[in-house]
Amino acid sequence: MAGEIYRAFHERSIRDREGFWAEQAGLIHWQKPFGKVLDFGRPPFAKWFVGGETNLCYNAVDRHLATRADQKALVYISTETGEEKAYTYRELAAEVNRMAAVMQSLGVARGDRVLIYMPMIAEAAFAILACARIGAIHSVVFGGFAAGSLATRIDDARPTLMVTSDAGMRAGKAVPYKHLVDESLRLARFPPGKVLMVNRGIDREMQLVPGRDLDYATLRSRHLDAQVPVAWLESNEPSYILYTSGTTGKPKGVQRDVGGYATALAASMKHIYMGNAGETMFTTSDIGWVVGHSYIIYGPLIAGMTTILYEGTPIRPDAGIWWKIVQDHRATVMFSAPTAIRVLKKQDPAFLKKYDVSSLRHLFLAGEPLDEPTHRWIAEALGIPVIDHYWQTETGWPMLSAVPGVEKTPIKYGSPSFPVFGYDLRLFREADASEAGADEKAVVGVVPPLPPGCLATLWGDDERFVKTYFSTFSTRQVYSSFDWGIRDQDGYFFILGRTDDVINVAGHRLGTREIEEAVQAHPNVAEVAVVGVADPLKGQLPVAFAVVKDVSAVASPEARAAHEKEVMATVDRLLGAIARPGRVHFVTALPKTRSGKLLRRSIQALAEGRDPGDLTTIEDPGALEQIKAALGAR
Ligand code: AMP
């Protein structure tokens, strides 16, 4: 069982929701106090801190100017370009005001959407905070996504402005953005009228489109002394949209509020991460993911910490780089992902001993299952508690975690511990939504209302929000995480994988449908099945089985290899290399049931060398033989 103190804390957060969250709301600044703590009059929609007015940028930046203007707020480190630059809270405020003034000069107003497609540079943080300041809704798209992904997200959010850059950098290579941006604007039905370019001088061939593409440095120089007033937003106004993949080809725009999010982050910084003002937090994610939003940008800044924005990989110039950063900046809180730790585990362990990391209090990991050997290895190597915690883009902050700021409960390797305060998280039997007992595998669900900080709805689609997340069980309205979980006799939870067809590659969620649609864009592909296959490093890898129209194109091993490359390039072009299948196998039929349903689970089982299960409903057993043959031909 969870420790007594934490159990009581969690129990109160559910029993006395309003009292508990009213207290937590005291951690942030409210320009106008809220009236009702929770309005749950229209379940499952929860409105937190109704009538209260606040602002994320004010809480993250302005609020600290009186006490810590000269403390570092943001340290930008790039091992790709060799740059390192620190911004104090005063300097960060100045940069955010300049960016906000530039955005306003381009016609961005409260409620407008701004699409941010940027590498890990300081200007990305300025743009995010500038949107928050003026009440514009940011939609950050991960820089590894390509033109097709961008276009889908443009059309759903219909931004007024896009903020981007000439290029990102990855492992010493430039990743030019501009041609992808141009292509996405051609593909989109509702492209923004203006594109703000932060030119890093990496892509020297970049061409600006007159009247549409604007150079940020030029505009910034016109607003050096800008003081842009903070837009005080009602707590439930949208702050941002962040797209995530599901089982359909259409990404879901997770919509976040303002006051609930700020409160949840402040509470998590205190109770979970134990990040104090004046200390440093190092989160190794990317601003394109939810972890980047919550724990590179907003969370640590709301807490008055110094946050590190790192562009680079964990192993360049060598596998000691992250520990050097911890040492140099005396980081007390570090947040990373299991895949990164597995990458480091394969390197020389001496790198871990080379630097003084004694400032670290905890290392937090999330995004994908953390296997026990990796958990044990890193915990023993660092000699500090390594906290596996579980959450989703939808929730914005952890759902399962140890909460050391309340009680230091023992860590079990491979377990993200207990339900976090505010979450009435339980395990539900798939058949009838009854509650599972100890050691029984069931669906991880949350009894609504969801706590502050979680998604308010899906952008522009309340119906899809209810249908997707709250309709798993016919008897009971419960938020479904689409993850399987189990709780042991001691009350510790373990996550056992997804209940749907979503793939998790190195902590990044990819929808099988989206990848299938991209593969199918290749002219010689008639049909395709994409499944997630276990991978020792990245957790899972997408693997495609494609039915080709013209079999002569894949008649020889050489032709197959060339064709496979072509299909992969198609995925790269449309979605980005992140979604590229590890392998593309060519077949003439896919295993389906007699009613035409793809036997995805059986394909996945075969690809992982497991028993394909019950095949009595299969239409054409030969199709399965082909899958086996294709896998065997590796
Ligand atoms: P995303 O929204 O992209 O962050 O993906 C969320 C999904 O990642 C969850 O639904 C889980 O399937 C998985 N996940 C996140 N954190 C963990 C964790 N600590 N252990 C196991 N799976 C996790």
Side-chain angles (χ1 to χ4, degrees), residues 244-245 289-291 338 365-370 388-394 399-400 414 416 481-483 495-498 502 504 507-510:
T244 184
S245 298
W289 308 119
V290 67
V291 177
L365 299 173
E368 54 182 316
L370 173 61
D388 176 19
H389 61 336
Y390 158 85
W391 50 299
Q392 309 182 300
T393 304
E394 285 83 350
M399 308 157 79
L400 286 172
S481 66
F482 299 100
D483 282 304
I495 298 296
L496 305 173
R498 300 279 304 185
V502 165
N504 190 321
H508 307 315
R509 205 198 298 186
L510 300 169

Side-chain angles (χ1 to χ4, degrees), residues 294-506:
S294 293
Y295 298 111
I296 295 177
I297 312 273
Y298 290 121
L301 293 177
I302 286 172
M305 299 182 78
T306 303
T307 187
I308 293 182
L309 188 101
Y310 174 73
E311 181 183 47
T313 72
I315 50 169
R316 271 173 49 98
D318 61 46
I321 180 64
W322 283 2
W323 313 121
K324 179 174 185 311
I325 290 173
V326 167
Q327 169 188 278
D328 292 353
H329 298 275
R330 306 292 303 150
T332 54
V333 191
M334 185 167 170
F335 185 157
S336 192
T339 290
I341 305 302
R342 287 193 288 264
V343 166
L344 291 175
K345 196 169 148 205
K346 287 170 60 177
Q347 308 287 322
D348 184 349
F351 283 117
L352 258 168
K353 299 270 167 270
K354 195 170 158 196
Y355 298 99
D356 173 12
V357 295
S358 60
S359 57
L360 269 188
R361 211 176 284 131
H362 295 106
L363 168 65
F364 291 86
L365 299 173
E368 54 182 316
L370 173 61
D371 55 287
E372 197 195 312
T374 304
H375 198 169
R376 181 186 303 279
W377 174 77
I378 189 69
E380 287 174 0
L382 289 174
I384 55 168
V386 172
I387 298 184
D388 176 19
H389 61 336
Y390 158 85
W391 50 299
Q392 309 182 300
T393 304
E394 285 83 350
T395 64
W397 65 293
M399 308 157 79
L400 286 172
S401 184
V403 185
V406 175
E407 186 180 1
K408 291 175 183 44
T409 48
I411 301 292
K412 274 198 192 187
Y413 293 132
S415 163
S417 299
F418 320 113
V420 166
F421 50 92
Y423 290 90
D424 190 357
L425 184 148
R426 308 181 198 179
L427 293 168
F428 297 93
R429 293 193 182 105
E430 205 185 17
D432 60 0
S434 59
E435 266 185 63
D439 294 330
E440 185 183 342
K441 177 177 165 180
V443 180
V444 177
V446 181
V447 179
L450 294 175
C454 295
L455 79 171
T457 184
L458 291 176
W459 176 252
D461 207 342
D462 282 355
E463 199 184 317
R464 191 177 178 204
F465 167 69
V466 179
K467 218 168 147 219
T468 305
Y469 297 107
F470 293 91
S471 310
T472 299
F473 306 108
S474 57
T475 48
R476 205 168 171 188
Q477 201 171 47
V478 167
Y479 171 84
S480 174
S481 66
F482 299 100
D483 282 304
W484 294 112
I486 199 164
R487 191 183 57 241
D488 72 9
Q489 303 280 349
D490 301 327
Y492 283 76
F493 282 69
F494 294 79
I495 298 296
L496 305 173
R498 300 279 304 185
T499 65
D500 58 12
D501 297 322
V502 165
I503 302 178
N504 190 321
V505 181

Side-chain angles (χ1 to χ4, degrees), residues 527-548:
E527 208 187 351
V528 62
V530 170
V531 297
V533 176
D535 179 81
L537 195 63
K538 297 185 170 180
Q540 279 188 312
L541 263 189
V543 170
F545 295 87
V547 176
V548 284

